[in-house]
Amino acid sequence: MSGPQTATNDTALSGTGGWPAVWSIAMGVFALVTAEFLPASLLTPMGEALGVSAGQMGQAVTVTALMALLGGLAIVPLTKGIDRRRVMVALSGLMLVSNLAVALAPNLWVLLAARIGLGLALGGFWAIAAATTIRLVSERQAPKALSLIFSGVPLATITAAGLGSYLGGLWGWREVFAMATLLSALTMAAQWMLLPPLTAQAGGSMAGLWAVLKRPGLGLGIGVVTLIFTAHFAGFTYLRDYLEHQQLGLQVISLVLLGFGLANFCGTLLAGRLIGRYLPKVLLGATVALLMALLLLGLLDQGSALLGLVMIVLWGLAFGGTPVSWSTWVTQVVPDQTESGGALIVSAIQLAIALGALMGGVIVDTSGAGAVMLASGLVLLVATLILVASRRRLH
């Protein structure tokens, strides 16, 4: 396979010519996020097969997130002189190896080792994805392009949560990871053929990351992001366990998770239309909606099934707009250092995923999944209060 010709500058890629490349990045997001959260939808069968508890199995998400944190921080300094196309293809290759190793893993330790590779690929890819995307299209098209690549997140949620759970029950969890391996191969091929060679942005270094972090409002925003994503992923990692606690069958659970994913997708599309003009309101509104949903799920526990379903859909809708909104926010706060800003926010998110899965694992093994949802709601309450009190400093 031969890749596209080198563009003389970024403006040469603007307009329709850059959209196939944007689609290949969206495909990478989809494949990586699908792989990241497959253990959450296959928690019970994977745990039973490997002889571990749900809380222990959930640490497959924690390990991935911790490695993604390191990958997100390291990718910009370590690859500052390397073509972004080659970096993205290499990271997709690392994802492929990880998924294949998980499919063949004989025990939890081998599986966790395999997830280290996925974490590094995930963090590295996310760190440069937004910055690369906005170089592929015109400034006017940037919000639409970012919305497109982030639509890979809810689509992956649908696949990992709904389809992954169903296929895992039908065929087995190892077969599901084998399918993820094939998806990784297709992603590599698409990126090699469609992404143009792109030089790295100047200024990539650990000192540069620290300097960017000290920009006005950025550190505070990163802190709020960490709280929001910790709460979300504490709940999401153990959502299947929560639904099983409601004594729902596998088909019903798969449909509920599918509904969550569809709502997530709609939330991403809706946010993509609104963030250009109403970004501060979207950031606050999504956080408040998440607070309501998770807090009520924790309080309901085995209460009204219908209200619980409504809250899960609201949760999915609200979180759909969260990643794209905060990623757009960071490109506006540090428009001259979008790769460094992206690396910082991705690392914060991955730290939050690790903290969420770890916190949720401890709580679910001691107090149950309902308590996880309640704790997540309380964390979101703190995030909401900070966001309300600091709106002027963040914008």
Side-chain angles (χ1 to χ4, degrees):
M1 293 181 294
S2 62
Q5 297 298 311
T6 304
T8 56
N9 54 52
D10 292 344
T11 58
L13 302 173
S14 299
T16 57
W19 285 103
V22 173
W23 277 100
S24 75
I25 295 176
M27 188 174 180
V29 170
F30 170 73
L32 281 161
V33 176
T34 296
E36 182 177 18
F37 294 116
L38 275 177
S41 64
L42 299 167
L43 206 63
T44 302
M46 290 179 73
E48 290 175 351
L50 299 177
V52 296
S53 71
Q56 291 173 316
M57 194 64 245
Q59 301 319 304
V61 177
T62 304
V63 168
T64 305
L66 286 173
M67 291 301 104
L69 187 159
L70 296 178
L73 288 174
I75 193 70
V76 175
L78 292 179
T79 65
K80 59 183 179 181
I82 303 177
D83 174 5
R84 274 1 193 181
R85 170 174 166 250
R86 293 183 180 276
V87 173
M88 285 190 161
V89 171
L91 292 172
S92 294
L94 186 56
M95 168 178 59
L96 185 155
V97 173
S98 170
N99 285 331
L100 182 60
V102 170
L104 300 174
N107 55 54
L108 179 63
W109 296 109
V110 173
L111 186 146
L112 292 178
R115 298 286 288 184
I116 289 174
L118 179 68
L120 294 173
L122 181 73
F125 195 93
W126 268 123
I128 62 175
T132 302
T133 298
I134 62 177
R135 296 171 65 189
L136 295 170
V137 296
S138 66
E139 184 178 352
R140 179 178 57 84
Q141 294 172 319
K144 181 180 177 182
L146 288 172
S147 177
L148 174 61
I149 67 165
F150 279 98
S151 69
V153 176
L155 288 175
T157 304
I158 294 170
T159 303
L163 189 60
S165 177
Y166 177 75
L167 293 179
L170 190 64
W171 295 334
W173 66 269
R174 293 186 187 275
E175 287 74 11
V176 173
F177 275 97
M179 294 173 66
T181 304
L182 177 59
L183 177 60
S184 302
L186 294 174
T187 300
M188 281 184 69
Q191 289 168 353
W192 181 258
M193 290 187 294
L194 299 175
L195 278 172
L198 284 172
T199 57
Q201 287 185 340
S205 66
M206 293 305 294
L209 288 175
W210 178 247
V212 171
L213 183 60
K214 292 192 293 183
R215 297 276 187 95
L218 186 62
L220 181 62
I222 293 292
V224 174
V225 167
T226 304
L227 290 172
I228 293 171
F229 280 79
T230 296
H232 166 74
F233 284 107
F236 179 73
T237 303
Y238 301 98
L239 178 55
R240 173 167 175 160
D241 200 62
Y242 176 87
L243 294 171
E244 287 176 343
H245 186 59
Q246 310 301 313
Q247 300 181 338
L248 302 177
L250 176 61
Q251 288 187 333
V252 176
I253 290 174
S254 297
L255 286 173
V256 172
L257 294 175
L258 177 63
F260 178 95
L262 289 172
N264 204 249
F265 180 67
C266 292
T268 303
L269 296 181
L270 180 61
R273 291 181 174 273
L274 297 176
I275 56 178
R277 297 179 61 184
Y278 307 107
L279 180 58
K281 293 181 179 179
V282 173
L283 292 174
L284 179 59
T287 306
V288 171
L290 285 170
L291 163 63
M292 290 174 54
L294 281 157
L295 202 57
L296 281 173
L297 283 172
L299 293 172
L300 283 169
D301 204 358
Q302 288 192 327
S304 169
L306 179 59
L307 183 56
L309 177 60
V310 172
M311 289 302 101
I312 289 173
V313 171
L314 176 63
W315 177 6
L317 186 68
F319 188 73
T322 301
V324 63
S325 300
W326 282 103
S327 293
T328 302
W329 170 82
V330 81
T331 63
Q332 294 183 1
V333 174
V334 285
D336 58 323
Q337 289 290 337
T338 53
E339 281 197 356
S340 295
L344 288 169
I345 201 165
V346 165
S347 297
I349 290 170
Q350 296 306 324
L351 173 63
I353 294 172
L355 290 174
L358 183 61
M359 178 184 81
V362 172
I363 296 174
V364 78
D365 281 348
T366 56
S367 304
V372 176
M373 301 300 170
L374 184 59
S376 297
L378 294 175
V379 173
L380 282 164
L381 177 60
V382 175
T384 302
L385 293 174
I386 295 174
L387 194 55
V388 170
S390 309
R391 278 194 296 176
R392 289 187 178 181
R393 293 177 60 191
L394 290 173
H395 303 291

